[in-house]
Amino acid sequence: MAVFNQVEFDNHEQVVFCSDEASGLKAIIAVHNTKLGPAVGGCRLWDYADDADAVYDVLRLSKGMTYKNAVARLPFGGGKSVIIGDAKKIKSEALFRAFGKHLERLGGSYYSAEDVNITTGDVMTMHKETNYVMGLEGKSGNPSPFTALGTFLGIKAAYQHKHGHQDLSGVKVSVQGLGAVAYTLCKYLHEAGAQLFVTDINQASIDKVVNDFGATAVSIDEIYDLDVDVYAPCALGATVNDETIPRIKANIIAGCANNQLAESRHGEILREKGVLYAPDYVINAGGIINVYYETKPEGYSEEAATKHVEGIYDTLTEIFARSDAEQKSTHLIADELAQEIIANGL
């Protein structure tokens, strides 16, 4: 299987294929860029249809982390890792210790953290074999609440730009995917008076949000057809695509999922339709910002981390203004901002 001619290959510095027969580990680590510092990005455990899908995902996600860390003004490069398999079947201490050994062999060029289907407990198991992990229990801990806060503030920034105010009372928001981040996002939105319409592949997750926040449950496919103000994609990526864009009625797309646009051209299609898109790696940077603060010599500070996360509002406001002024889609403006920071330094 070729890597260099993959559409998502972007001069990645390193792509490592990892395996361990005893534990069943099959993983890929991608280091995209380390100009601003060591590559940092979470590890995702997913049951990919084939190895090619896993390679595509890790290449795209690692590049996204380079841009995310740059725009968040963190001294990190971009990297990502994926473990291939069904989380319900393959999780074990041996698996994560084996992965930790592979991290150790990279010598610090890449630091891992939690992502989809990986908990802080799993990261602690990796930590038994390596120090090249972040988001540790007893330090910055679970990054999900910070990702949710940044996403909520990003929705407010988008609403302010689109409508001239940020009062979300009565605003209809559809939330696709109800994991740990999205649950907390729904809490923020509910407390702000928004009306929630939600879906997930897990019925228990739906029931919890319906019961806790009075949300209306809809089917997986119906989420695209709702007459809402804000569409918040919070599951896996590429849900904004040729098939869904004609169906989406929201004039704001702002959620915590990675790689929401199936292709770059979809960002321009949204702009032409008058839909304001909050670039995913900008709005969902709260988690990695929080993780950064455990590396500070003076020790982790929740207050400092929160203040940094609150800056996501201002960053998005700048991107929206530049998008209007330059008549370019917001995701291209975000990319240009990231490239400027990588070229010129923090």
Side-chain angles (χ1 to χ4, degrees):
M1 177 179 57
V3 172
F4 296 120
N5 62 358
Q6 278 263 353
V7 66
E8 291 300 329
F9 183 79
D10 182 60
N11 294 313
H12 285 67
E13 294 177 8
Q14 195 172 24
V15 181
V16 180
F17 292 79
C18 314
S19 67
D20 178 71
E21 184 176 7
S23 65
L25 174 73
K26 295 184 184 301
I28 309 171
I29 300 170
V31 176
H32 176 249
N33 185 293
T34 57
K35 185 170 182 181
L36 295 179
V40 179
C43 177
R44 170 173 295 187
L45 200 170
W46 194 254
D47 195 11
Y48 293 97
D50 53 41
D51 293 352
D53 283 355
V55 170
Y56 176 88
D57 207 26
V58 77
L59 291 177
R60 193 176 195 203
L61 289 166
S62 55
K63 178 182 176 181
M65 286 306 304
T66 296
Y67 284 20
K68 176 185 291 191
N69 291 334
V71 173
R73 291 169 172 81
L74 300 175
F76 295 153
K80 204 77 175 183
S81 53
V82 297
I83 297 175
I84 301 169
D86 185 340
K88 295 178 181 178
K89 297 178 181 177
I90 71 167
K91 273 197 171 191
S92 68
E93 177 170 354
L95 182 90
F96 292 117
R97 292 189 75 148
F99 184 71
K101 290 176 182 177
H102 283 286
L103 291 176
E104 184 68 18
R105 292 189 185 105
L106 291 179
S109 63
Y110 167 69
Y111 285 72
S112 189
E114 63 87 35
D115 193 23
V116 177
N117 288 325
I118 301 288
T119 67
T120 51
D122 298 330
V123 175
M124 292 300 291
T125 303
M126 300 174 194
H127 186 40
K128 294 179 180 179
E129 302 292 343
T130 184
N131 287 321
Y132 301 129
V133 286
M134 292 185 178
L136 298 173
E137 295 175 355
K139 291 189 177 181
S140 65
N142 183 5
S144 295
F146 296 87
T147 307
L149 174 62
T151 305
F152 173 66
L153 294 173
I155 290 173
K156 293 186 74 174
Y159 207 83
Q160 173 70 42
H161 185 80
K162 194 75 176 173
H163 301 287
H165 67 88
Q166 52 184 287
D167 180 6
L168 300 182
S169 299
V171 172
K172 296 178 180 178
V173 183
S174 59
V175 182
Q176 179 189 48
L178 298 171
V181 175
Y183 175 84
T184 305
L185 173 62
C186 287
K187 178 176 181 290
Y188 281 125
L189 290 167
H190 173 69
E191 290 172 349
Q195 297 181 47
L196 298 173
F197 300 84
V198 301
T199 195
D200 194 273
I201 59 174
N202 187 331
Q203 187 61 45
S205 298
I206 295 174
D207 293 343
K208 184 171 177 57
V209 174
V210 168
N211 292 334
D212 291 355
F213 309 128
T216 300
V218 300
S219 70
I220 294 290
D221 189 59
E222 187 183 358
I223 197 76
Y224 300 110
D225 300 311
L226 300 177
D227 187 8
V228 296
D229 304 292
V230 180
Y231 165 53
C234 297
L236 293 180
T239 65
V240 180
N241 53 53
D242 289 332
E243 194 273 327
T244 62
I245 288 175
R247 299 166 60 187
I248 294 172
K249 298 179 177 63
N251 58 27
I252 292 172
I253 296 179
C256 58
N258 288 313
N259 299 327
Q260 294 167 27
L261 304 179
E263 299 177 36
S264 179
R265 63 185 177 85
H266 293 125
E268 183 58 26
I269 294 172
L270 292 178
R271 190 183 74 83
E272 292 173 353
K273 285 189 62 177
V275 178
L276 182 61
Y277 170 61
D280 45 33
Y281 62 78
V282 181
I283 195 173
N284 69 13
I288 192 65
I289 290 171
N290 180 59
V291 165
Y292 162 66
Y293 279 86
E294 76 178 32
T295 71
K296 303 291 280 185
E298 63 271 24
Y300 174 72
S301 166
E302 181 177 345
E303 181 180 358
T306 301
K307 184 176 181 180
H308 195 149
V309 171
E310 289 170 349
I312 289 173
Y313 183 102
D314 298 324
T315 302
L316 283 170
T317 298
E318 175 189 350
I319 288 169
F320 297 151
R322 283 180 57 170
S323 173
D324 287 349
E326 300 178 28
Q327 290 296 291
K328 290 181 181 178
S329 57
T330 54
H331 80 291
L332 292 180
I333 294 294
D335 287 356
E336 289 176 3
L337 179 59
Q339 290 159 5
E340 290 166 9
I341 293 169
I342 293 167
N344 300 321
L346 298 173

